Structures are given as C-alpha cells and as structure tokens.
Amino acid sequence: MENTDEFLKAAIEEAKKGYAAGGIPIGSVLVHKGEIIGRGHNKRVQEGSVVLHGEMDALENAGRQPASVYKECTLYTTLSPCPMCSGTILLYGIPRVVIGENKTFMGEEELLKSRGVAVSVANNEECYQLMQQFIKEKPELWNEDIGV
C-alpha cells in the first residue's frame, strides 16, 4: 500500500513552492508503483498559463507515459480537482485520486467516482489553512482561478 502521508506531504511541498513564487498554493504529485514520477503546482500566475493547475503541471512534468502506466497511478492533489483536471484524470484512466481537502473548493469528485475512480479525501488541515491564508491575502486571484 502506498504511503498516502508521504505523497500528500510532497504535494503540499509543491503547493508551498507555488505560494512562495506568488502563485496559487495547489500542489500535486503523480505516483506510479510507490515512486513519484511527476511533481507540479499551479503556475497560472507565474507563467500566465490558462491550463497549468497543480494536477496538470504534475502530469506535464511526468512526461508522456504509456496508457499502461497511467492505469497504475495515483494522483495526489492538495485541493479537490476542477472539471479540467478531473477530465484529464478520466482521459488518461488514472484509477485513484487522493485529495488533501475539499472544504475550500469542491471539484468534480462525484463525476470521478461515477466513472470508477477511487477518490479519497484526507481532510488535511495544512492544505486547508494554506488555501484559507491565500484566499484572505488574494481573493481576486482566487476568484479568477475558479472562474468567479
């Protein structure tokens, strides 16, 4: 069994990197057979990107993989995945997603579950507090990121 705490901690470290760089503190790691093959964090602000959410950045940094690899992966993310990231999870057939927290934002967890993805929520307080601090400091940036 994969060590959820270790991998969620790695995703949190990614979120902190993004925050330190002036971005939105959402991080993610892609794990295959107990090894992190991709790490990433939200880079919309830093790179002026419309698609580099934490999950998308982790997948991009994992590089192109055969379908058989994705089908054996777990994606760890500090925040519930949005429709774009959830669609990508489905597109590549990633079977498991571990979410740091979903109180700040509820993504497409029900869609993922309805399509057979095993979704678990850690209710991690550090993930939650990091997002709350960011939203308090930069509410306009958060609203832009979630399309408000």
Side-chain angles (χ1 to χ4, degrees):
M1 184 68 189
E2 294 175 347
N3 184 344
T4 299
D5 292 339
E6 171 192 342
F7 297 126
L8 187 56
K9 184 177 178 187
I12 292 168
E13 290 307 313
E14 285 295 322
K16 289 178 178 177
K17 283 183 195 174
Y19 185 60
I24 299 155
I26 302 168
S28 184
V29 295
L30 184 66
V31 176
H32 180 252
K33 294 186 176 180
E35 297 291 326
I36 295 173
I37 62 170
R39 298 172 178 267
H41 52 270
N42 188 303
K43 291 181 180 164
R44 290 187 70 241
V45 174
Q46 300 93 311
E47 296 191 14
S49 172
V50 298
V51 295
L52 282 181
H53 284 191
E55 300 92 334
M56 302 297 272
D57 191 42
L59 286 162
E60 182 72 13
N61 290 331
R64 193 169 151 211
Q65 301 291 328
S68 59
V69 169
Y70 294 118
K71 290 181 184 346
E72 297 175 335
C73 283
T74 301
L75 184 73
Y76 291 80
T77 180
T78 58
L79 189 65
S80 188
C82 76
M84 174 179 67
C85 296
S86 295
T88 303
I89 290 162
L90 295 174
L91 177 68
Y92 288 103
I94 297 169
R96 289 175 301 286
V97 177
V98 176
I99 298 165
E101 66 103 350
N102 62 7
K103 291 185 281 186
T104 301
F105 175 81
M106 174 58 78
E108 296 296 329
E109 294 176 28
E110 290 307 315
L111 171 64
L112 292 170
K113 290 175 187 175
S114 77
R115 298 283 294 275
V117 176
V119 175
S120 60
V121 181
N123 291 314
N124 181 281
E125 189 63 23
E126 189 174 8
C127 292
Y128 179 73
Q129 291 302 327
L130 190 58
M131 286 305 302
Q132 294 310 302
Q133 180 180 337
F134 168 76
I135 291 167
K136 184 178 177 184
E137 292 172 2
K138 299 181 178 177
E140 69 292 335
L141 194 52
W142 171 241
N143 288 337
E144 173 193 318
D145 196 57
I146 60 170
V148 173

